[in-house]
């Protein structure tokens, strides 16, 4: 894998390899774009089969964060850190070492939580850096903010695609009942929707069952007869095989990079399913974290609600242009980025080439 070639194609600024023997820290940190403000992105801790898989993940995720910032009107760009979970032998020390490195970047990168990053990690990391944007002591858990924004986006899409003014009576399949999926399921239930959910984790399932979610086996979630399929687990779950099984007219969830490859947006389109891109729908925690970081405010209700307006804008643009919503969202994000860079007197957008798949 030619990492620099990948960065050039995706328009990335930096890719940092971090290694600390005693703690077992092995991590990649990518900054996609810091030309218009700090680069925001969470820290993901998970197992990767190969090192190249971790690099691909960090490059894709950091690039999607730039688009997410543009569409959510956050004055900044995208970044991400992935930590290879298999090598950690002193996790607290590893997070401190990661925090020290983030501190060296002096605010160019502002981090937050992502999959696998838990409260004890945050405490260790924050002992070594000031640049943790999602201030837990001031803000609610990130997943709840993300779920609130996603609910506005799903409401808008349901109205536009299904012609329904309310979520009452709508059936939604939620894949992954963790911090985002669990919170989204509870919000959908409170709005009167029927929620079918799946998660391999028994604790997540039990909490969801108590809230009123009807559970199915994780392998069966794609086959459910539902109005909306909401993927909220890990990325890459939508591919040739899973897309062929989907029954929903609307696919709208929070999992980052849920399409295994960009071309799967075309496949969904051909099968008559409207795909709301994850980076449009799941900006809630970014809006709250970056917004608090920049202004000190803790309440972002109107900004979260605007995710619904952005979803509508993307869906209408796709219809008018005869493209997929993914294509329309990428075009819109690029236009916003170009005008930001022009306003900042910066160089032409770096990201012109083929997507990093
Ligand atoms: P999480 O770890 O809390 O939850 C993920 C859940 O998915 C876990 O309960 C896990 O058991 C489950 N899962 C794993 N594989 C599954 C499968 N095959 N089928 C069903 N469930 C499966 O993570 P999270 O914070 O809820 O994030 C979920 C997704 O949303 C990730 O892709 C993340 O990048 C994205 N996201 C999260 C936030 C946030 O605020 N937390 C913001 C934006 C995007």
């Amino acid at each position: 894998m030619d990492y620099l070639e990948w960065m050039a194609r995706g328009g990335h600024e930096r890719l940092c390899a971090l290694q600390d023997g005693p703690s077992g820290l092995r991590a990649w940190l990518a900054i996609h774009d810091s030309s218009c403000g700090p680069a925001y992105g969470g820290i993901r801790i998970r197992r990767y089969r190969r090192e190249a898989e971790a690099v691909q993940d960090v490059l894709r995720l950091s690039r999607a964060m730039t688009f997410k910032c543009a569409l959510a009107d956050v004055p900044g760009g995208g970044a991400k850190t992935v930590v290879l979970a298999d090598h950690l032998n002193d996790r607290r020390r590893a997070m401190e070492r990661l925090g020290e490195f983030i501190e060296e970047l002096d605010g160019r990168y502002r981090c937050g939580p992502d999959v696998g990053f838990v409260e004890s990690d945050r405490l260790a990391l924050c002992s070594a850096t000031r640049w943790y944007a999602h201030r837990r002591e001031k803000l609610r858990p990130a997943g709840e903010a993300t779920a609130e924004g996603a609910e506005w986006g799903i409401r808008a899409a349901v109205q536009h695609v299904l012609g329904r003014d309310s979520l009452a009576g709508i059936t939604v399949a939620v894949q992954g009942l963790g911090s985002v999926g669990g919170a989204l399921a509870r919000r959908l239930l409170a709005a009167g929707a029927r929620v079918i959910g799946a998660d391999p984790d028994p604790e997540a399932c039990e909490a969801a069952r108590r809230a009123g979610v009807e559970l199915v086996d994780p392998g069966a979630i794609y086959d459910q007869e539902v109005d909306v399929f909401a993927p909220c687990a890990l990325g890459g779950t939508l591919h040739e095989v899973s897309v062929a099984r989907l029954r929903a007219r609307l696919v709208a969830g929070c999992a980052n990079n849920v399409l295994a490859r960009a071309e799967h947006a075309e496949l969904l389109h051909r099968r008559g399913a409207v795909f709301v891109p994850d980076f449009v729908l799941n900006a809630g925690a970014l809006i709250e974290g970056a917004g608090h970081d920049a202004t000190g405010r803790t309440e972002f209700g109107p900004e979260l609600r605007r995710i619904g307006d952005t979803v509508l804008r993307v869906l209408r643009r796709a219809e008018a242009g005869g493209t997929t919503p993914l294509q329309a969202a990428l075009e819109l994000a690029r236009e916003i980025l170009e005008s930001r860079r022009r306003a900042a007197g910066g160089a032409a957008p770096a990201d012109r080439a083929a997507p990093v798949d």
Side-chain angles (χ1 to χ4, degrees):
M1 183 177 172
D2 298 324
Y3 294 162
L4 284 166
E5 180 56 30
W6 271 50
M7 290 173 69
R9 282 169 50 201
H12 293 78
E13 286 175 17
R14 285 190 193 199
L15 175 65
C16 311
L18 310 175
Q19 195 283 134
D20 177 61
S23 67
L25 174 69
R26 289 191 189 184
W28 292 95
L29 190 161
I31 295 183
H32 179 258
D33 186 345
S34 64
S35 62
C36 298
Y40 292 99
I43 299 169
R44 173 171 288 196
I45 305 181
R46 62 166 290 207
R47 294 185 155 167
Y48 291 94
R49 279 166 302 184
R50 298 182 317 278
E51 208 172 292
E53 192 189 352
V55 175
Q56 183 177 27
D57 211 24
V58 83
L59 291 176
R60 290 186 71 184
L61 290 164
S62 58
R63 183 169 174 269
M65 284 300 291
T66 298
F67 298 134
K68 198 186 298 191
C69 285
L71 292 170
D73 204 19
V74 168
K80 201 82 184 182
T81 302
V82 302
V83 178
L84 283 64
D86 276 338
H87 298 273
L88 294 173
N89 53 44
D90 180 346
R91 190 157 168 150
R92 186 181 59 77
R93 184 69 194 129
M95 291 302 112
E96 288 168 359
R97 294 290 295 127
L98 178 58
E100 286 163 16
F101 183 74
I102 291 169
E103 187 62 21
E104 279 174 32
L105 295 173
D106 203 23
R108 177 182 284 254
Y109 169 48
R110 316 268 169 109
C111 60
D114 195 63
V115 173
F117 185 86
V118 297
E119 181 60 7
S120 51
D121 298 326
R122 182 188 75 85
L123 291 171
L125 186 103
C126 287
S127 71
T129 183
R130 294 162 290 162
W131 304 111
Y132 189 85
H134 197 97
R135 289 279 156 208
R136 184 70 174 84
E137 58 281 8
K138 300 269 171 105
L139 299 173
R140 58 185 163 165
E144 287 177 26
T146 302
E148 182 177 333
E151 184 192 341
W152 287 117
I154 290 172
R155 279 181 183 277
V158 160
Q159 189 180 37
H160 188 74
V161 177
L162 306 178
R164 303 274 289 265
D165 288 336
S166 132
L167 295 178
I170 295 283
T171 307
V172 185
V174 179
Q175 180 184 44
L177 299 164
S179 98
V180 176
L184 179 64
R186 289 191 296 278
R187 296 189 77 93
L188 296 170
L189 287 165
R194 178 180 167 221
V195 179
I196 299 171
D199 195 305
D201 177 30
E203 271 181 43
C205 283
E206 180 50 24
R209 191 192 58 74
R210 272 188 267 115
V213 174
E214 298 165 41
L215 297 169
V216 295
D217 190 77
I221 194 72
Y222 302 106
D223 307 313
Q224 302 303 308
E225 200 70 58
V226 293
D227 300 299
V228 184
F229 181 78
C232 296
L234 289 179
T237 63
L238 294 183
H239 43 69
E240 284 87 352
V241 179
S242 55
V243 166
R245 289 165 60 188
L246 291 183
R247 303 265 199 282
R249 277 181 64 201
L250 193 54
V251 176
C254 295
N256 279 312
N257 293 338
V258 69
L259 301 177
R261 288 198 306 278
E263 71 204 41
H264 295 122
E266 300 279 351
L267 183 58
L268 281 161
H269 190 59
R270 284 200 301 278
R271 293 182 56 85
V274 174
F275 171 65
V276 179
D278 36 277
F279 56 87
V280 181
L281 204 70
N282 69 13
L286 170 70
I287 290 170
E288 279 200 1
H292 178 69
D293 186 48
T295 66
R297 282 166 51 209
T298 54
E299 185 43 55
F300 293 88
E303 286 90 343
L304 294 178
R305 199 178 177 129
R306 257 181 251 137
I307 290 178
D309 302 336
T310 310
V311 166
L312 274 186
R313 208 170 152 196
V314 165
L315 296 183
R316 288 190 181 129
R317 184 178 175 127
E319 283 162 11
T323 61
T324 63
L326 176 63
Q327 195 55 38
L330 289 171
E331 284 167 11
L332 186 58
R334 286 193 180 106
E335 283 168 19
I336 294 167
L337 291 168
E338 275 188 49
S339 76
R340 279 186 185 182
R341 286 172 184 134
R342 268 198 306 274
D351 177 61
R352 286 203 173 279
V356 181
D357 268 345

